Amino acid sequence: MKTTLRKQDLDLLVGARHWDPFSVLGPHVVEEKGKRYVTVRVIQPRASEVQLVRDNGATRSASMTRLHPDGVFEALFPLDTEIFPYRLEITAADGYRWTQLDPYAFGTVLTDFDIHLLSEGSHLAQYEKLGSHVVDIGGVRGTAFAVWAPNAERVSVVCNFNHWDGRVHPMRNRGESGIWEIFLPGVVEEEVYKYEIRSRDTGELLAKTDPFGFRFELPPRTGTIVCDIEGYEWGDASWLESRAKRSILDAPMAVYEVHLGSWKRKEGEGGPYLSYRELADDLVPYVKEMGYTHIELLPVAEHPFDGSWGYQVLGYFAPTSRHGRPGEFMEFVDRCHREGIGVIVDWVPAHFPRDAHGLARFDGTHLYEHADPRMGEHRDWGTLIFNYGRREVANFLLSNALFWLDKYHVDGLRVDAVASMLYLDYSRKPGEWIPNVHGGNENLEAIAFLKRMNELVYERHPGAITVAEESTAWPAVSRPTYLGGLGFTLKWNMGWMHDMLSFIEKDPIHRKYHFGQLTFALLYAFHENFVLPFSHDEVVHLKRSMLDKMPGDLWGKFANLRLLYAYMYAHPGKKLLFMGGEFAQWEEWRHDRSLSWNLLQWDTHQGVQRFVRDLNRLYREVPALHEVDFRPEGFEWIDFRDVDNSVVSFLRRGKNPDDVVVCVFNFTPAPREKYRVGVPWPGRYREALNSDAAAYGGSNAGNGGSIAAESVPWMGHPHSVSLTLPPLGGLFFRKEE
């Protein structure tokens, strides 16, 4: 009998334009002249012959009829009691033969409830439904694919399995949701794939990587790799339990900021990058030995261009393949936790790159980004801005934020470029931006998104933190949303960083004229929960390394750097230092080159490294240096008026007001003999740390380890000590028991 397939459907199939391929491919019951039949149709453009093998008790095969030269085949059978199971034996024109099950014989994978939640933007584990997932359906192992592309005419999975031919595996359209899905039996881990999308509006063909892909090919290749990320046996339960019970606000937090691709690099064969396992073996013990509490990783999510340092993300759900597989990154995080080190990852919801295989114009329309360039482009960075007001896009990002905590157990997200999200006129001239509905420059949708993100992180992962890189005076960034804040745990103190570097870079003889740069931050220090950052951004683009910023001769540069770090650790706020700064790297940071570890052959660089290690130890062990960072009672000036001598002194207090550290800093190269400083109690004060100690490369000027207070009122205190202040030195004193 003649085919029951309409010519219109046949033409759409071979033209790869059929929006509902499951309505014509696979098994279907049809009626012809009062009789009912089962018809099975397949499209295999490479096939010269297709045999349909029935497996309903007695194995029988039938040769399928070619309906079209481009590989549409059909077989027709009298209707038995039910549609029977079958497999396809396919012979290619070159004689190659293979057997496969028919994807179009399987039903839907996503339930109607899944579709409902995904459509309304309330599915906070989208990554469990969209993307590719190795599953078992009716005893058949394969991969379920699902993607959101509401403006597509047709979406296909293309891969080696089908010779990257978009005609072979067009996906099922789930109606108004805009979601497309298919189960491909026999396709399992390691299969490289993309989505081929035909735009309904323009007819153009787009080859896109999976927005929810868990693993990608090593750049410059751009395919997504089917990857099962379940099954890793974590050993950090005690860490997560203790994390949930403590607050970072009154705990020590010394962060080592790391770019994994350049902390250390390999020499010779094997590629330049250390693997996640090698980093676990090398970086984690180093961070522990140095006394840091956290590692903060520049973005590990997959990105195509090394020169973006990871800040132009395409694979939001995939740790970069540069260092290994997803399970190996889990091992890295697990090792950190077992060694008592927290892991913070940089997260980039502010923008994404324009690469043709990524999110940009994903289905031929501005799906993830705004269509109007006045809202949708960051011209400074050449990137696109997410449309936070679209529920599916906001849900994508919220799901991604939770994903890194859910699946990779990270302890926090440092959110990049928050200021660019908050302001519609960020880095824009008049006429280059569109006001909000109230006529203002606030991005109301982005604000709502950030608040919701923070609420979800705290709700679902107790003890996890979020940190805002926010460089303006936006109020209450690190205050709870129920108090009108944005809800971040912490905020980078960019003002302190700029003022401090500007001050320390000046010749010491001129510093007395700029003392406001040193002390101004205490006027606003408790308005937010601040992190004091000397980050990667301060050692690139001709800004010079931390050591090279310092004025003076060789001795003066090292002394100034140790003084700067001492002041940073004494000042209220959590601490962050970019890699290389801890041993006084001479050169600016290069993303494509290892740090200059060879410098540690010199005593001066060893001295700075030893000083940072001892600073971290003191900071962690002494509650007064970290317990009350964000309230005025944790800090008290002794004297900030001695500008002529360029000396400042203050107290840091713990929750117990009797737990006090006396901090004194001399910002000139002239030592100060018998310099009197007021102290709160009589008795002896032990010199807990001296940045000028010989062990750190200093001149060893100091106070013999301790000094006795005298009953001489000074600077508003009933007692005082007469000190020797080392040149360009910082001193920490504690009251002896």
Side-chain angles (χ1 to χ4, degrees):
M1 57 179 288
K2 297 173 61 177
T3 179
T4 58
L5 183 64
R6 296 184 306 166
K7 184 178 185 304
Q8 177 186 1
D9 287 323
L10 181 61
D11 292 341
L12 290 172
L13 275 179
V14 298
R17 304 184 73 99
H18 207 298
W19 75 279
D20 187 15
F22 276 80
S23 67
V24 291
L25 294 176
H28 296 275
V29 176
V30 297
E31 188 169 325
E32 182 77 11
K33 296 181 179 179
K35 294 185 178 180
R36 302 180 74 201
Y37 298 87
V38 173
T39 179
V40 179
R41 305 185 192 100
V42 301
I43 180 167
Q44 287 289 337
R46 294 181 62 242
S48 62
E49 179 183 352
V50 179
Q51 290 284 325
L52 187 147
V53 181
R54 299 177 63 175
D55 291 321
N56 57 338
T59 300
R60 292 176 291 169
S61 65
S63 181
M64 302 187 74
T65 302
R66 181 187 291 272
L67 301 182
H68 193 279
D70 284 347
V72 180
F73 294 83
E74 182 181 44
L76 199 67
F77 303 90
L79 181 64
D80 294 334
T81 55
E82 59 184 14
I83 293 179
F84 48 81
Y86 64 92
R87 63 183 186 273
L88 304 171
E89 291 184 352
I90 304 168
T91 304
D94 59 5
Y96 178 74
R97 181 176 296 174
W98 72 96
T99 300
Q100 69 179 56
L101 295 176
D102 187 359
Y104 299 93
F106 291 82
T108 60
V109 178
L110 299 177
T111 68
D112 290 342
F113 188 56
D114 289 330
I115 295 296
H116 170 73
L117 293 178
L118 291 166
S119 297
E120 73 174 11
S122 61
H123 202 305
L124 295 173
Q126 277 188 323
Y127 53 85
E128 294 180 350
K129 302 299 178 180
L130 299 179
S132 61
H133 299 274
V134 178
V135 295
D136 188 294
I137 297 179
V140 177
R141 187 171 173 82
T143 298
F145 298 86
V147 64
W148 178 56
N151 300 296
E153 179 181 69
R154 184 263 303 171
V155 182
S156 297
V157 177
V158 291
C159 54
N160 290 327
F161 187 73
N162 56 34
H163 291 264
W164 300 88
D165 189 335
R167 295 173 294 177
V168 179
H169 289 135
M171 303 174 76
R172 185 195 306 271
N173 187 324
R174 295 303 299 269
E176 294 181 358
S177 69
I179 293 170
W180 303 73
E181 67 163 7
I182 194 171
F183 171 70
L184 296 186
V187 172
V188 290
E189 292 93 341
E190 304 300 323
E191 186 72 43
V192 178
Y193 71 97
K194 288 185 179 180
Y195 294 116
E196 183 179 276
I197 300 173
R198 183 183 291 278
S199 170
R200 183 193 305 137
D201 293 344
T202 66
E204 63 185 311
L205 277 181
L206 306 165
K208 295 291 187 177
T209 53
D210 194 335
F212 288 86
F214 294 145
R215 184 180 166 212
F216 287 80
E217 291 185 290
L218 189 65
R221 301 182 68 87
T222 58
T224 312
I225 302 174
V226 174
C227 177
D228 186 356
I229 63 170
E230 302 298 330
Y232 179 77
E233 295 184 8
W234 289 89
D236 62 349
S238 61
W239 167 271
L240 296 178
E241 183 180 352
S242 63
R243 187 188 76 182
K245 296 177 181 177
R246 66 178 183 265
S247 169
I248 199 67
L249 300 183
D250 57 9
M253 183 177 178
V255 181
Y256 188 55
E257 189 189 30
V258 176
H259 176 256
L260 291 179
S262 59
W263 181 72
K264 282 184 181 177
R265 290 170 80 94
K266 294 179 181 177
E267 301 293 338
E269 297 182 3
Y273 303 111
L274 295 182
S275 69
Y276 291 122
R277 285 174 175 166
E278 290 168 327
L279 287 161
D281 290 339
D282 203 354
L283 173 60
V284 174
Y286 177 76
V287 170
K288 184 177 181 180
E289 194 271 335
M290 286 297 296
Y292 288 100
T293 64
H294 291 74
I295 297 174
E296 180 176 314
L297 303 176
L298 270 65
V300 295
E302 194 60 84
H303 51 282
F305 178 47
D306 284 2
S308 77
W309 312 337
Y311 288 98
Q312 294 193 9
V313 177
L314 277 185
Y316 273 81
F317 291 83
T320 178
S321 296
R322 291 168 176 84
H323 307 288
R325 298 167 180 263
E328 292 165 353
F329 183 60
M330 292 177 184
E331 289 181 33
F332 174 83
V333 177
D334 201 7
R335 185 84 67 87
C336 288
H337 287 172
R338 294 185 193 201
E339 296 296 336
I341 299 166
V343 179
I344 302 167
V345 296
D346 275 15
W347 186 55
V348 192
H351 61 126
F352 60 91
R354 299 172 178 268
D355 298 60
H357 61 279
L359 297 177
R361 296 188 68 251
F362 187 77
D363 62 359
T365 66
H366 297 91
L367 189 62
Y368 287 88
E369 70 273 29
H370 289 278
D372 192 321
R374 293 174 296 175
M375 299 182 68
E377 294 183 2
H378 273 311
R379 295 183 181 176
D380 291 353
W381 304 325
T383 53
L384 302 173
I385 301 171
F386 284 104
N387 183 352
Y388 307 104
R390 187 165 192 167
R391 62 180 183 272
E392 297 94 341
V393 175
N395 198 189
F396 169 80
L397 291 170
L398 292 173
S399 180
N400 183 243
L402 295 174
F403 169 80
W404 290 100
L405 295 124
D406 290 340
K407 296 301 181 182
Y408 289 99
H409 289 205
V410 302
D411 301 285
L413 305 172
R414 178 267 194 184
V415 184
D416 179 63
V418 171
S420 75
M421 300 174 67
L422 296 176
Y423 297 97
L424 295 167
D425 60 348
Y426 180 86
S427 192
R428 296 175 185 273
K429 298 175 183 178
E432 294 180 349
W433 60 283
I434 301 174
N436 63 34
V437 293
H438 305 297
N441 67 341
E442 301 88 357
N443 189 331
L444 302 179
E445 292 83 5
I447 293 166
F449 162 75
L450 289 171
K451 289 182 175 182
R452 181 63 176 149
M453 182 273 297
N454 285 317
E455 291 168 350
L456 287 170
V457 167
Y458 303 144
E459 172 190 323
R460 295 180 174 233
H461 295 278
I465 65 172
T466 60
V467 185
E469 186 214 14
E470 204 287 309
S471 55
T472 75
W474 188 280
V477 170
S478 57
R479 295 293 180 261
T481 57
Y482 60 80
L483 295 178
L486 291 181
F488 286 93
T489 316
L490 299 161
K491 171 183 172 175
W492 276 19
N493 193 336
M494 310 294 281
W496 175 88
M497 178 272 296
H498 284 297
D499 286 349
M500 198 65 219
L501 290 179
S502 177
F503 176 81
I504 203 74
E505 289 176 25
K506 291 179 170 61
D507 189 300
I509 199 171
H510 301 303
R511 286 175 179 167
K512 65 180 181 180
Y513 303 110
H514 302 275
F515 239 52
Q517 290 183 313
L518 184 68
T519 60
F520 177 67
L522 270 303
L523 293 177
Y524 62 86
F526 310 112
H527 293 177
E528 299 277 3
N529 301 333
F530 281 123
V531 176
L532 309 181
F534 290 137
S535 74
H536 63 280
D537 278 327
E538 311 320 315
V539 292
V540 290
H541 302 323
L542 303 180
K543 296 178 185 177
R544 298 175 295 169
S545 69
M546 293 297 292
L547 179 62
D548 201 24
K549 294 177 191 288
M550 301 299 108
D553 59 11
L554 187 64
W555 180 90
K557 284 181 177 292
F558 280 94
N560 271 298
L561 187 63
R562 295 192 304 270
L563 172 62
L564 174 64
Y565 291 163
Y567 189 79
M568 172 191 188
Y569 273 72
H571 195 284
K574 307 308 180 186
K575 326 300 177 188
L576 180 142
L577 183 63
F578 184 57
M579 63 183 198
E582 81 279 9
F583 63 81
Q585 169 106 356
W586 264 115
E587 297 178 326
E588 282 192 348
W589 170 55
R590 290 270 304 272
H591 74 272
D592 56 354
R593 179 183 299 175
S594 174
L595 297 178
S596 302
W597 294 101
N598 61 305
L599 292 175
L600 288 172
Q601 66 184 301
W602 304 103
D603 291 342
T604 47
H605 294 275
Q606 287 182 30
V608 173
Q609 186 187 52
R610 192 176 299 117
F611 180 61
V612 172
R613 182 193 64 204
D614 289 353
L615 264 178
N616 279 330
R617 174 191 53 78
L618 182 71
Y619 170 68
R620 293 177 68 154
E621 291 177 356
V622 178
L625 291 176
H626 62 253
E627 275 190 343
V628 192
D629 267 328
F630 308 123
R631 301 190 305 277
E633 55 265 34
F635 177 91
E636 179 185 341
W637 282 115
I638 297 174
D639 184 29
F640 60 87
R641 296 180 179 88
D642 191 2
V643 296
D644 289 334
N645 287 313
S646 293
V647 175
V648 295
S649 53
F650 52 81
L651 303 178
R652 289 299 310 277
R653 297 183 186 273
K655 292 180 179 179
N656 178 351
D658 293 337
D659 182 7
V660 171
V661 177
V662 180
C663 309
V664 189
F665 302 90
N666 176 15
F667 285 95
T668 73
R672 309 291 178 190
E673 301 288 342
K674 297 181 180 180
Y675 189 90
R676 191 165 292 277
V677 175
V679 294
W681 300 296
R684 296 196 68 83
Y685 287 78
R686 177 173 59 86
E687 193 174 85
L689 197 67
N690 180 347
S691 71
D692 191 51
Y696 308 139
S699 62
N700 219 30
N703 299 274
S706 70
I707 194 166
E710 304 172 50
S711 297
V712 177
W714 203 260
M715 302 172 178
H717 289 278
H719 307 279
S720 59
V721 291
S722 181
L723 301 175
T724 295
L725 296 185
L728 297 172
L731 299 174
F732 295 78
F733 289 93
R734 297 190 73 193
K735 180 73 168 59
E736 290 187 352
E737 297 296 333

